[in-house]
């Protein structure tokens, strides 16, 4: 694992966006895996800036998002689909047909999950996957478990995740209890991975992810086995390193 320490959140966002931008410049038809949560917001802001300055174009880029809440329509303001349009897609030249996000409103979970996996495969696989990390070590919505769940699947969210994500909802009751998420194998098949962490509350999990035992109880620890992972932390998230 390559560890990059950024001075603050702004620098972290700029470094992450620069790595994504170089991927897009080197291969304008790249397949990008994208993440939600508060951590990548600054990265998306930087990518929009670079697009506006004519440094990068997303015209032929394909994207796959990691996850989506089960039961939320894509137009729902709390959905990850809404988030992605609001933070990135509405401001760049990506073709709508190239945007892939699991359908949280599917009436056939099996078909949705298989279909998502097949689409990733057909597109040639993910060239660069952006990740955040949950305080409990989740990546995407792969929660701590007794085994690694391989492929895109329906997940029951942990109480800790529901609590933590309730800050985006008006009440905790509104937070969906389930989600559709890429699996660990799906993520591990990406050619390159960047994981971002900001803030002191992520410090312990980042330390355990890098130096601890590889275990499904801390899903992100599996990244130790991936050949090309870059972890970008700000000062606070890197305090134990
Ligand atoms: C959510 C997402 C994850 C994300 C995590 C951390 O649960 N499913 O992909 O990494 O939150 O979010 P934040 O960046 O807001 O701490």
């Amino acid at each position: 694992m390559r560890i990059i320490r950024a001075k603050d959140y702004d620098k972290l966002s700029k470094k992450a966006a620069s790595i994504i931008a170089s991927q897009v410049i080197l291969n304008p038809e790249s397949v990008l895996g994208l993440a939600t949560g508060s951590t990548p917001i600054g990265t998306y802001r930087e990518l929009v800036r670079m697009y506006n300055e004519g440094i990068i174009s997303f015209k032929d880029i394909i994207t796959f998002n990691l996850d989506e809440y089960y039961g939320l329509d894509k137009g729902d303001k709390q959905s990850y689909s809404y988030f992605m349009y609001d933070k990135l897609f509405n401001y760049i030249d990506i073709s709508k047909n190239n945007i892939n996000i699991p359908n949280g409103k599917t009436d056939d979970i099996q078909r949705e999950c298989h279909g998502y996996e097949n689409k990733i495969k057909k597109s040639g696989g993910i060239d660069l996957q952006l990740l955040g990390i949950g305080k409990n070590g989740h990546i995407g919505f792969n929660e701590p478990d007794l085994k690694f769940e391989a492929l895109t699947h329906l997940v029951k969210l942990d109480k800790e995740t529901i609590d933590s994500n309730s800050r985006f909802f008006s009440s905790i009751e509104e937070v969906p209890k389930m989600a559709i998420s890429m699996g660990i194998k799906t993520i591990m098949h990406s050619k390159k991975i960047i994981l971002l962490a900001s803030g002191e509350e992520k410090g312990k999990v980042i330390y355990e992810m890098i130096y601890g035992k590889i275990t499904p109880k801390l899903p992100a620890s599996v990244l130790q086995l991936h050949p090309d992972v870059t972890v970008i932390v700000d000062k606070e998230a890197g305090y134990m390193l």
Side-chain angles (χ1 to χ4, degrees), residues 73-232:
D73 186 77
K74 61 177 192 289
D76 193 307
K77 283 200 165 171
Q78 309 292 357
S79 72
Y80 282 168
S81 175
Y82 189 93
F83 173 100
M84 287 309 302
Y85 277 86
D86 189 44
K87 304 294 181 222
L88 181 66
F89 299 148
N90 281 340
Y91 315 103
I92 57 176
D93 60 347
I94 190 163
S95 149
K96 298 265 178 293
N97 299 330
N98 287 351
I99 296 172
N100 300 281
I101 303 175
N103 174 13
K105 270 295 208 192
T106 180
D107 50 15
D108 186 340
I109 265 289
Q110 292 299 348
R111 200 190 53 204
E112 180 64 26
C113 294
H114 281 146
Y116 206 64
E117 286 291 328
N118 285 338
K119 238 180 162 182
I120 294 175
K121 230 179 258 166
K122 266 201 197 139
S123 72
I126 294 168
D127 293 303
L128 177 61
Q129 175 68 57
L130 180 64
L131 294 176
I133 185 167
K135 274 184 277 177
N136 62 2
H138 75 219
I139 43 177
F141 266 134
N142 290 277
E143 299 283 34
D145 202 346
L146 296 175
K147 62 175 176 58
F148 290 114
E149 197 69 51
L151 302 175
T152 301
H153 60 293
L154 185 67
V155 193
K156 190 170 169 296
L157 299 177
D158 269 14
K159 192 181 166 305
E160 192 181 343
T161 302
I162 293 172
D163 284 350
S164 164
N165 289 4
S166 66
R167 66 189 194 277
F168 299 112
F169 293 79
S170 43
S171 77
I172 195 157
E173 288 72 39
E174 277 181 33
V175 186
K177 309 291 177 282
M178 292 201 268
I180 300 172
S181 177
M182 278 186 198
I184 291 294
K185 188 171 167 186
T186 329
I187 295 171
M188 289 293 278
H189 271 192
S190 314
K191 292 171 194 109
K192 283 172 194 279
I193 294 176
I194 317 177
L195 183 142
L196 310 181
S198 164
E200 200 181 330
E201 59 173 25
K202 298 286 173 70
K204 187 162 173 279
V205 78
I206 283 294
Y207 177 82
E208 288 171 351
M209 170 189 88
I210 298 173
Y211 297 110
K213 206 168 94 184
I214 298 168
T215 165
K217 289 183 184 158
L218 200 148
S221 63
V222 76
L223 298 175
Q224 291 178 33
L225 300 175
H226 191 283
D228 193 342
V229 177
T230 303
V231 179
I232 312 181

Side-chain angles (χ1 to χ4, degrees), residues 53-88:
E53 286 178 12
I55 299 168
I56 46 175
S57 162
F58 293 84
K59 196 167 63 66
D60 297 313
I61 293 291
I62 297 175
T63 63
F64 285 91
N65 262 79
L66 280 168
D67 45 17
E68 177 59 283
Y69 285 120
Y70 181 59
L72 292 194
D73 186 77
K74 61 177 192 289
D76 193 307
K77 283 200 165 171
Q78 309 292 357
S79 72
Y80 282 168
S81 175
Y82 189 93
F83 173 100
M84 287 309 302
Y85 277 86
D86 189 44
K87 304 294 181 222
L88 181 66

